[in-house]
Amino acid sequence: MKIKEHQLGLHFLFILTVLVLLFPLVYALSNSFKTLNDAFNNVFSLIPREFTLQNYIHVFTRLDFMRIVGNTFFISTTVTIFKIITSLLAAYSLVFFNFKGKNTLYFILLSTMFIPFTVTMIPNYLTISSWGLGDSLIGVLIPQLADVLGIFLLRQSMRGIPRSLIEYAQLEGASTYNIITGIVIPLIRPNIISTGILFFVNSWNEYVWPVLILKTKSKFTLSLALQMFISSEGGTDFTIAMAVSVMTMIIPITLYLIFQRYILDTFTTSGVK
Amino acid sequence: MKKKFAVILSMLMVALITLSACGGGSSQKDATTSADGKIKIEYWHVNAETQGGITVDELVKTFNESQDDIEVVAKYNPDMYKGLMQNLQAEIAAGNHPAIVQVGWAFLDYFSNNFEYQDPVAVNEKYDQEDPTFLKDNFMPNILDLAKDSKGNQVGVPYSLSTPVLYLNRDLLKEAGLDPAGPKTWEELNEFSKTIKEKTGKYGFYFQEPADNWATQGLLESNGAKFITDGKATIASKEGIAAYQFWADMVADGTALHTSWDEGMQSFVDGNVAMAYTTIARRESVQKGAQFDVATTTSPAWEGKEINIPAGGCFLGITAVDDEQIEAAWKFEKFLYSVESVAKWTMGTGYVPPRTGVDTAEDGLKKFYEENHMMKAATDQMDKVVPWASFPGDAGLQAEQILLDVRDQILGGQVSAEEGLTDAQNKINELLK
Amino acid sequence: MQKRTKKGKWDHIKAFGFFIPVLLVFTIFVFTPFFKTLYLSFFEWNLISPKKTFVGLSNYIALFQDPVTVKVLSNTFVYILIMLVVNFIVPYIMSYMMAIMLKKGQNFYKGAIFLPYVISLVVGSILYLWILNPVSGPIGLIARTFGIRLPIWSKTDGLVLLILSLITSWKLFGYNFIVLFAAVNNIPKEIIEVAKLDGISNWHIFKDIVTPMSSATGIYVLIITIVQGLQQGFTPIKVVTQGGPNYGSASLTYQSYHEAFTLYHIGKSSALSVLTMVLFMVLLALEFYFVERNVYYEN
């Protein structure tokens, strides 16, 4: 009997957490189908008084939405792949090689996480535009090809791999490439995935840097499109902003739902022992 | 061999970086002339979709279609004039020059001090032989003067013109047994708010609190205060302190709401606040959202005093540097100031036309005004418009910030208006030295 | 491939070779700008003026004398502290509850809790501005039916810090939770079963077995929570309060942005950035010294 109450209490806690976390999403979804008037005057009801697609229609007629999604997707995927590869290599070097100044190098790299982004913004803008990459997708993604956080996470997880395993493989004559792809990557796959998600989502929602670089509407990313509907002087068109928000969420959420099983599986069956 | 993985990868990245650097070289040229030999100019604006973004696109499209050798590219800058100024700083530092930029009034002096710009009147004379006095013929002198900096240079031409008006929830006013025409003076507004709070339990009034002191200037200067006299801050005069304290007192006794701009306007639109003092540029969003009988009325006066309200919005500055670009910029600017374009601009945004001859022209706004009574309050008070107080010199932006900091202190009740304003005034004058 | 005798040398070259991509990107886009910032922190400049005035240490001195710096610094620590509780301690405990104590529904909860993470904080901030509007939002309206007027949080010192960090936490909670859950779930169940049979309480299992055994991940989440408190917290500040009321919600990152891009005090902003980095480097060094060496790695 006691155990049952115990479980009930736990479920109550988790359901409450889920409700608190998901309420804003449901709120956004419901408001994206409301008229502005409805949104202002029908605050409580999550069901629109008059269901309208007008907000979505407006966004689709004003923006080349598929293109914007494509741009965002291109930037986020490229950034994620490069960040993973560069971090993987650096982390491998940190864990399995010994060289002078290793710890100092690591420490310096880690400290850069604490530099406010304002420091790099303008100099990088000048660099990018001196390369003639202003107003281009490449210009947005180039400074983001490496990330300390990735080195940090992958290093943490690689340290869980027994050294003897690597040494044994080396004795067997396996090349470093084979060791990385054959031993390291499979062993730390869940960590690679969680780092990848982090990179993808961050890049997907990045809004300060692309604003600086991109000018032409055909090159906009989703978070820039969102900002077109937010204005302090004219007022934010809440329902349209919510429609854009819903559309910015759809792709990461779908990706997550598709891969969720796989992601969670790798999390739970990971072989790091 | 595969073990050279890292080397290959880094070479790949070097290649990507150099490739894009070289590839960019050619696109750099495109910045001034496009592939088909047209002169390409950039027009930087802040107009989000809710604030004329659609009209900007329409105007640019119409212009481009009418031109064989000029192509205008519009760049939207989020975060209003501050955001545009940030991007402009970076762009100029990188050695690029947009042709025309919208500059918020608060940045008038900062812009003229720090950026290279063309005097529009001179550009008009030099590049427009057919119509060398276009600006002088079509703009009232007091309106053109709005875009003169503290040294008297003509920095640009007023474009988006707004004034603060009083928005009314007539249903709430009626419910509280008040005159639905709204208060005419600030003193009356205070009485109205008290009655509303007693009768309906709702807030009587919200005074806009954006990241500038535009409307605040209207409140204080209508009471006879001056933000700036002879290049010095004089905000802490008897009149200035009295007006500010009036506002703080309303907040303190709970008749006025003290909150951020977006939250405050949300509360007005959904009927929790009876009156709101904010820009006419919000007209459309208020109208679209409000379920009650909504109206506007002109800025209240202080009893027995003249109304002085600052012009809001922006002017257009020409930042093009070479002849070809300047000429193209002028052509586009002249197009933007045609009766037709200005009429479209007003209809799309709610801004008041900066030039003459639009209000009454048949292809102008005659019909629009007849149908949109809420615009009347803004056009009616155009003769009371004064320049936005733009503090001179490089410290101007910081001076503006000091006034924002003190706003939170006074309205939050941490200091009295007298202490706060006197302190702020001293700090500003210290800076301006 | 390589001869055993040459192995040492080869390894050295390879070790550096593997760093080339990262170092390339970092040299161009992080280190160079940082040194430039360090250099600029000794000047007075507005970014575009041809004239840079050398002012020595006066930007730093100005910062130390400015009461705003103290306020911003303490705000930053409050942000980080709240986020450490909400985004590190709470999900740690909850991941234990889910991995060890909860019998059913794990997959559903995991999926649902993670969802907000994919959303941009700009969207989150706008949403919360509506939901938490003390006069017009749903919560404010409910409170009013009970005759309560909620405080205007965006203008109330202290409260504004709490709400803004909750907005940031709302987004980041799910990620931290999933990562911690994976680590806790990876601890061999037998160890915990044995402990349970011995009658050890859940709290002690958590404290004495689970935390030490998942500490490698724990450290990771701890550090990213601090980084996020410093960096990601920027967005809601910018969208909701712009640092107000009277710097009541400004963090170091926001203030550095504000000095640079609202006031164009490049020198002062640079000095603040340098100080921020130095401060956190010290914290990081302490972490290295005291925590890292006690971390459990599974070999």
Side-chain angles (χ1 to χ4, degrees):
Chain A
M1 225 30 232
K2 193 170 174 261
I3 294 192
K4 266 217 168 131
E5 278 168 30
H6 201 70
Q7 287 290 315
L8 223 61
L10 282 176
H11 281 292
F12 178 74
L13 176 77
F14 276 99
I15 287 170
L16 195 71
T17 313
V18 168
L19 283 181
V20 168
L21 289 176
L22 294 193
F23 176 72
L25 298 190
V26 179
Y27 196 75
L29 190 69
S30 103
N31 275 288
S32 73
F33 293 110
K34 285 183 181 178
T35 60
L36 194 62
N37 190 302
D38 209 6
F40 272 114
N41 298 295
N42 188 17
V43 181
F44 281 109
S45 172
L46 289 175
I47 300 153
R49 248 184 325 211
E50 40 181 321
F51 182 88
T52 175
L53 285 174
Q54 207 46 51
N55 301 313
Y56 289 94
I57 293 169
H58 182 89
V59 175
F60 274 98
T61 47
R62 286 294 295 153
L63 295 169
D64 185 352
F65 194 70
M66 287 329 283
R67 181 146 192 182
I68 290 177
V69 169
N71 292 342
T72 319
F73 197 79
F74 170 70
I75 292 178
S76 306
T77 348
T78 318
V79 163
T80 307
I81 292 171
F82 267 93
K83 275 186 178 177
I84 290 285
I85 297 176
T86 54
S87 309
L88 201 68
L89 290 174
Y92 184 85
S93 173
L94 280 172
V95 176
F96 297 111
F97 290 121
N98 282 316
F99 57 93
K100 236 187 180 170
K102 186 166 94 166
N103 287 329
T104 319
L105 181 63
Y106 181 54
F107 184 76
I108 290 173
L109 283 176
L110 272 196
S111 336
T112 61
M113 286 196 293
F114 301 107
I115 304 179
F117 69 89
T118 41
V119 165
T120 52
M121 212 165 116
I122 295 292
N124 288 352
Y125 181 74
L126 302 185
T127 310
I128 291 294
S129 62
S130 73
W131 289 354
L133 290 176
D135 199 21
S136 76
L137 299 183
I138 301 284
V140 175
L141 62 85
I142 271 212
Q144 311 185 53
L145 295 180
D147 196 308
V148 202
L149 214 55
I151 303 177
F152 176 51
L153 173 65
L154 297 180
R155 175 181 175 269
Q156 289 291 88
S157 51
M158 276 186 207
R159 290 176 76 178
I161 300 172
R163 229 160 218 283
S164 50
L165 204 62
I166 305 292
E167 277 159 13
Y168 179 73
Q170 281 169 344
L171 283 178
E172 293 286 297
S175 68
T176 311
Y177 176 82
N178 284 335
I179 293 177
I180 292 181
T181 52
I183 301 173
V184 175
I185 292 180
L187 280 180
I188 60 164
R189 190 183 295 142
N191 302 298
I192 293 179
I193 288 169
S194 56
T195 318
I197 294 172
L198 185 97
F199 289 158
F200 187 86
V201 170
N202 282 352
S203 171
W204 187 268
N205 294 323
E206 173 64 58
Y207 74 106
V208 182
W209 174 244
V211 162
L212 206 56
I213 293 286
L214 300 174
K215 291 174 188 166
T216 329
K217 275 202 180 116
S218 62
K219 288 172 187 152
F220 271 19
T221 62
L222 279 166
S223 51
L224 257 166
L226 175 69
Q227 291 183 71
M228 287 174 56
F229 297 94
I230 304 170
S231 152
S232 43
E233 197 172 322
T236 299
D237 196 318
F238 187 67
T239 53
I240 293 179
M242 283 309 111
V244 187
S245 305
V246 168
M247 294 189 294
T248 22
M249 297 174 205
I250 278 180
I251 287 170
I253 289 185
T254 322
L255 281 178
Y256 175 66
L257 291 179
I258 293 171
F259 292 113
Q260 186 191 14
R261 227 200 136 106
Y262 175 68
I263 293 168
L264 297 178
D265 272 0
T266 44
F267 270 131
T268 37
T269 60
S270 121
V272 189
K273 283 270 151 69
Chain B
M1 292 303 282
K2 281 170 173 178
K3 70 181 175 184
K4 288 184 182 145
F5 193 50
V7 183
I8 292 169
L9 184 78
S10 43
M11 277 167 64
L12 212 81
M13 283 176 55
V14 174
L16 186 63
I17 290 172
T18 32
L19 198 83
S20 41
C22 299
S26 57
S27 76
Q28 192 71 356
K29 278 178 219 142
D30 291 355
T32 47
T33 42
S34 56
D36 44 7
K38 283 186 180 179
I39 300 164
K40 206 165 149 189
I41 57 169
E42 283 180 18
Y43 169 43
W44 284 26
H45 65 93
V46 301
N47 303 101
E49 294 286 292
T50 47
Q51 198 201 339
I54 298 171
T55 315
V56 170
D57 284 357
E58 261 175 43
L59 288 173
V60 168
K61 194 167 163 248
T62 316
F63 179 76
N64 284 342
E65 277 165 4
S66 74
Q67 295 291 319
D68 294 327
D69 44 4
I70 302 174
E71 191 192 344
V72 177
V73 178
K75 171 177 159 90
Y76 165 64
N77 294 266
D79 208 9
M80 295 305 294
Y81 303 111
K82 185 174 132 246
L84 186 143
M85 198 52 69
Q86 285 166 15
N87 294 347
L88 188 64
Q89 294 263 84
E91 187 79 350
I92 300 284
N96 305 328
H97 300 269
I100 299 184
V101 295
Q102 294 186 347
V103 182
W105 296 111
F107 296 95
L108 174 60
D109 272 86
Y110 185 79
F111 177 78
S112 74
N113 268 342
N114 290 290
F115 293 89
E116 207 178 317
Y117 65 89
Q118 306 293 330
D119 177 335
V121 177
V123 168
N124 182 190
E125 276 168 21
K126 187 174 165 200
Y127 293 93
D128 198 348
Q129 255 78 44
E130 286 164 33
D131 200 359
T133 51
F134 173 81
L135 290 176
K136 283 186 178 147
D137 296 344
N138 294 298
F139 286 79
M140 311 251 286
N142 71 318
I143 299 290
L144 263 189
D145 282 355
L146 293 174
K148 274 189 180 161
D149 68 4
S150 57
K151 291 178 201 122
N153 302 315
Q154 188 75 43
V155 185
V157 182
Y159 186 52
S160 301
L161 272 190
S162 58
T163 50
V165 296
L166 187 67
Y167 289 79
L168 304 168
N169 180 337
R170 285 206 200 152
D171 290 350
L172 266 182
L173 293 183
K174 279 180 213 148
E175 194 187 323
L178 294 161
D179 180 1
K184 290 278 158 284
T185 64
W186 289 108
E187 289 85 352
E188 255 176 60
L189 181 137
N190 191 13
E191 294 307 314
F192 269 54
S193 302
K194 281 193 179 125
T195 313
I196 289 157
K197 196 193 168 197
E198 277 163 28
K199 295 268 169 69
T200 66
K202 300 199 165 160
Y203 285 98
F205 179 55
Y206 174 67
F207 191 98
Q208 73 163 34
E209 293 182 38
D212 62 54
N213 301 289
W214 175 61
T216 319
Q217 186 191 340
L219 179 76
L220 270 61
E221 294 203 342
S222 292
N223 198 29
K226 280 298 242 179
F227 265 42
I228 304 171
T229 317
D230 300 328
K232 283 203 153 150
T234 48
I235 184 170
S237 60
K238 199 172 93 246
E239 293 85 3
I241 290 167
Y244 225 119
Q245 194 60 49
F246 168 87
W247 179 14
D249 288 344
M250 283 187 75
V251 169
D253 64 21
T255 50
L257 180 61
H258 163 47
T259 188
S260 71
W261 199 9
D262 270 344
E263 288 174 290
M265 287 316 288
Q266 186 193 354
S267 299
F268 173 73
V269 173
D270 72 6
N272 279 302
V273 176
M275 300 176 283
Y277 188 65
T278 193
T279 168
I280 189 68
R282 287 253 173 171
R283 176 188 60 86
E284 201 183 337
S285 111
V286 169
Q287 233 167 356
K288 254 172 98 182
Q291 218 170 19
F292 48 83
D293 180 8
V294 61
T296 54
T297 180
T298 48
S299 285
W302 290 93
E303 233 145 65
K305 288 184 180 171
E306 287 280 314
I307 296 172
N308 291 303
I309 39 174
C314 70
F315 64 87
L316 296 184
I318 301 179
T319 43
V321 278
D322 59 53
D323 264 0
E324 223 181 17
Q325 290 258 315
I326 297 173
E327 194 178 353
W330 170 253
K331 273 190 187 153
F332 181 58
E333 189 161 314
K334 198 175 167 195
F335 165 80
L336 288 180
Y337 287 115
S338 68
V339 170
E340 251 184 302
S341 306
V342 169
K344 270 191 196 152
W345 191 233
T346 298
M347 288 189 260
T349 56
Y351 288 120
V352 181
R355 58 164 286 174
T356 52
V358 186
D359 300 16
T360 47
E362 284 301 329
D363 58 347
L365 293 165
K366 210 173 156 207
K367 198 154 158 261
F368 176 73
Y369 281 162
E370 282 163 14
E371 287 163 2
N372 286 274
H373 297 292
M374 281 175 79
M375 283 297 296
K376 196 169 180 301
T379 46
D380 279 0
Q381 57 188 11
M382 278 318 279
D383 56 331
K384 304 182 175 76
V385 163
V386 296
W388 183 316
S390 163
F391 288 95
D394 276 354
L397 299 178
Q398 201 181 350
E400 178 95 7
Q401 184 62 39
I402 290 172
L403 291 179
L404 289 180
D405 297 344
V406 82
R407 180 176 75 194
D408 280 330
Q409 289 175 305
I410 296 174
L411 297 181
Q414 283 102 336
V415 296
S416 70
E418 186 173 2
E419 274 173 87
L421 289 183
T422 313
D423 186 42
Q425 177 176 307
N426 292 341
K427 275 193 207 157
I428 293 172
N429 286 334
E430 193 62 34
L431 276 177
L432 296 182
K433 260 183 200 164
Chain C
M1 216 122 318
Q2 61 272 36
K3 298 280 170 297
R4 219 105 311 273
T5 44
K6 284 189 183 165
K7 187 173 179 296
K9 203 182 164 192
W10 243 119
D11 276 3
H12 236 87
I13 294 169
K14 251 196 273 181
F16 273 112
F18 280 22
F19 258 103
I20 289 175
V22 168
L23 287 180
L24 192 70
V25 175
F26 267 69
T27 309
I28 302 174
F29 295 109
V30 181
F31 297 142
T32 317
F34 180 75
F35 284 114
K36 197 160 179 207
T37 300
L38 189 63
Y39 167 80
L40 287 174
S41 71
F42 301 109
F43 288 84
E44 203 177 289
W45 188 41
N46 71 356
L47 191 65
I48 43 166
S49 156
K51 185 176 103 230
K52 285 189 194 109
T53 323
F54 181 79
V55 293
L57 284 173
S58 75
N59 284 326
Y60 290 92
I61 294 167
L63 279 178
F64 281 115
Q65 286 171 342
D66 191 349
V68 172
T69 314
V70 181
K71 200 165 182 179
V72 167
L73 197 66
S74 75
N75 288 345
T76 309
F77 282 109
V78 173
Y79 278 126
I80 290 177
L81 206 69
I82 297 175
M83 288 188 52
L84 279 178
V85 173
V86 182
N87 262 352
F88 178 64
I89 297 177
V90 172
Y92 217 149
I93 295 173
M94 284 180 72
S95 67
Y96 172 79
M97 289 175 169
M98 181 135 114
I100 313 292
M101 295 160 72
L102 198 69
K103 303 245 182 325
K104 274 186 204 151
Q106 292 185 341
N107 280 338
F108 167 73
Y109 292 135
K110 261 188 293 183
I113 287 176
F114 185 77
L115 270 189
Y117 181 69
V118 302
I119 291 150
S120 102
L121 262 177
V122 181
V123 174
S125 308
I126 299 172
L127 266 169
Y128 273 105
L129 200 62
W130 271 63
I131 295 174
L132 299 177
N133 183 330
V135 179
S136 299
I139 296 169
L141 290 177
I142 293 170
R144 204 164 43 191
T145 57
F146 293 106
I148 306 163
R149 259 193 184 189
L150 291 182
I152 311 289
W153 61 268
S154 60
K155 297 287 179 189
T156 311
D157 281 318
L159 196 57
V160 69
L161 292 174
L162 177 70
I163 305 268
L164 289 183
S165 37
L166 289 181
I167 295 175
T168 317
S169 298
W170 165 73
K171 173 189 157 94
L172 301 171
F173 183 88
Y175 179 82
N176 291 3
F177 176 76
I178 291 287
V179 172
L180 286 166
F181 173 78
V184 174
N185 204 40
N186 268 340
I187 297 169
K189 292 282 179 300
E190 309 86 64
I191 301 181
I192 290 155
E193 289 307 318
V194 170
K196 273 190 177 162
L197 285 178
D198 286 347
I200 299 173
S201 72
N202 272 317
W203 170 243
H204 276 100
I205 298 178
F206 177 69
K207 191 164 75 82
D208 300 329
I209 301 174
V210 172
T211 12
M213 290 191 73
S214 57
S215 55
T217 305
I219 291 290
Y220 166 71
V221 176
L222 177 79
I223 300 241
I224 59 167
T225 308
I226 294 174
V227 173
Q228 285 162 341
L230 188 70
Q231 307 278 28
Q232 303 242 29
F234 171 83
T235 306
I237 302 173
K238 180 163 184 287
V239 176
V240 179
T241 63
Q242 293 88 42
N246 191 27
Y247 304 100
S249 67
S251 69
L252 283 167
T253 316
Y254 184 80
Q255 191 60 18
S256 159
Y257 167 86
H258 179 74
E259 287 286 349
F261 301 116
T262 306
L263 305 176
Y264 304 112
H265 293 159
I266 301 297
K268 205 174 166 198
S269 164
S270 300
L272 189 62
S273 299
V274 171
L275 282 183
T276 307
M277 179 160 160
V278 169
L279 181 72
F280 281 88
M281 260 173 109
V282 172
L283 287 179
L284 190 68
L286 288 176
E287 188 271 333
F288 260 59
Y289 189 74
F290 287 109
V291 186
E292 188 89 344
R293 55 182 182 174
N294 296 323
V295 172
Y296 171 83
Y297 294 99
E298 300 173 37
N299 54 342

